């Protein structure tokens, strides 16, 4: 089946630094990728939609200058958390749109900001 | 996306069938029903989807009522590894919807606990 590879799976960073998370679709082309954030015991919250070759669309309340999204190719989308703070600690998940077959999700990245 | 309603939690004995209900009374004609599950600290996993007819695959069966206002996901022989949060979502597939990518919005899902 379709696979989305997400790296790193876990990262710990110091407050004020930036962290990049990569998502690659391994066996399909993802014109559109979605980025979610999930806090403990909560559901997934959509942060932004990234379209290959164009600017990402952010959900209300998500700071585009803090969460930089790049979707430079049909198989790679990246999320950079800039100037991270402890409140950015969360589980970040990407997914690729496979049309009728729905979405294929990455395995997630556990970000801890200390 | 139309809203869905699911019970917050369910228990099931290992080896028995797990029947997870979902209400989607405002579903529109071109919206499909999708089921995903999320095992703790992992990304969601696709299970099954359908439009009108009942569907079955190696993981589960999906029963959609004739009026399409509700559906049931059936795990025929639940195992401990099926313990997860199950999400029922309705959406229009991207290739049908004009204007680009169609975002998937998650509700709170059903926490299924399979026990010995």
């Amino acid at each position: 089946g379709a696979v989305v590879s997400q790296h790193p799976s876990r990262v710990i960073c110091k407050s004020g630094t930036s962290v990049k998370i990569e998502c690659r679709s391994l066996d399909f082309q993802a014109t559109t990728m979605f980025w979610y954030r999930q806090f403990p015991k909560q559901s997934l919250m959509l942060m932004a939609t990234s379209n290959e070759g164009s600017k990402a669309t952010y959900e209300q309340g998500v700071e585009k200058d803090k969460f930089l999204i790049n979707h430079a190719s049909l198989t790679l989308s990246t999320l950079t958390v800039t100037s991270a703070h402890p409140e950015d600690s969360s589980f970040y998940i990407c997914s690729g749109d496979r049309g009728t077959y729905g979405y294929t999700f990455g395995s997630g990245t556990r970000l801890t900001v200390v | 996306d139309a809203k869905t309603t699911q019970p917050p939690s369910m228990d099931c004995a290992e080896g028995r069938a797990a029947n997870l209900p979902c209400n989607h009374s405002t579903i529109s004609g071109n919206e499909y029903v999708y089921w995903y599950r999320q095992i703790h600290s992992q990304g969601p996993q696709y299970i099954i989807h359908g439009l009108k007819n009942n569907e079955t695959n190696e993981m589960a069966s999906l029963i959609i009522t004739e009026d399409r206002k509700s559906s049931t996901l059936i795990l025929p022989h639940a195992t401990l590894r099926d313990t997860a949060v199950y999400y029922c979502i309705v959406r229009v597939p991207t290739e049908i919807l004009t204007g680009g990518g169609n975002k998937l919005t998650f509700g709170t899902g059903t926490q299924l606990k399979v026990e010995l």
Side-chain angles (χ1 to χ4, degrees), chain A residues 10 32 34 36 38 42-46 49 51 59 91 93 97-108 110, chain B residues 32 34 36 38 40-46 49 87 91 93-96 100-109:
Chain A
R10 287 180 182 274
T32 302
F34 299 85
Y36 293 83
Q38 186 176 35
Q42 293 187 21
S43 188
L44 285 79
M45 290 176 47
L46 180 66
T49 303
N51 295 295
E59 295 298 301
F91 191 54
I93 308 167
D97 191 343
R98 294 176 59 225
T100 304
Y101 290 94
Y103 289 15
T104 296
F105 289 83
S107 53
R110 175 76 58 195
Chain B
Y32 284 63
Y34 291 83
Y36 291 81
Q38 186 179 25
H40 183 61
S41 294
Q42 297 183 23
Q45 176 189 23
Y46 165 84
H49 75 280
Y87 296 99
R91 80 185 265 272
T94 302
E95 58 264 37
I96 296 175
N102 185 16
K103 60 188 180 184
L104 206 67
T105 304
F106 286 81
T108 52

Side-chain angles (χ1 to χ4, degrees), chain B residues 27-69:
Chain B
I27 192 170
S28 62
N30 58 359
E31 285 182 309
Y32 284 63
V33 180
Y34 291 83
W35 282 85
Y36 291 81
R37 72 180 182 184
Q38 186 179 25
I39 295 170
H40 183 61
S41 294
Q42 297 183 23
Q45 176 189 23
Y46 165 84
I47 301 174
I48 199 166
H49 75 280
L51 180 62
K52 296 180 192 177
N53 300 321
N54 299 336
E55 302 287 345
T56 296
N57 63 19
E58 64 279 3
M59 288 183 71
S61 295
L62 173 60
I63 308 298
I64 303 174
T65 58
E66 197 167 334
D67 63 7
R68 302 211 320 126
K69 292 186 177 182

Side-chain angles (χ1 to χ4, degrees), chain A residues 29-43:
Chain A
Q29 293 185 329
T31 306
T32 302
M33 277 197 170
F34 299 85
W35 288 92
Y36 293 83
R37 179 168 54 180
Q38 186 176 35
F39 293 106
K41 298 192 177 181
Q42 293 187 21
S43 188

Side-chain angles (χ1 to χ4, degrees), chain A residues 45-60:
Chain A
M45 290 176 47
L46 180 66
M47 298 175 65
T49 303
S50 93
N51 295 295
E52 186 264 338
S54 64
K55 287 185 181 179
T57 304
Y58 291 81
E59 295 298 301
Q60 194 172 5

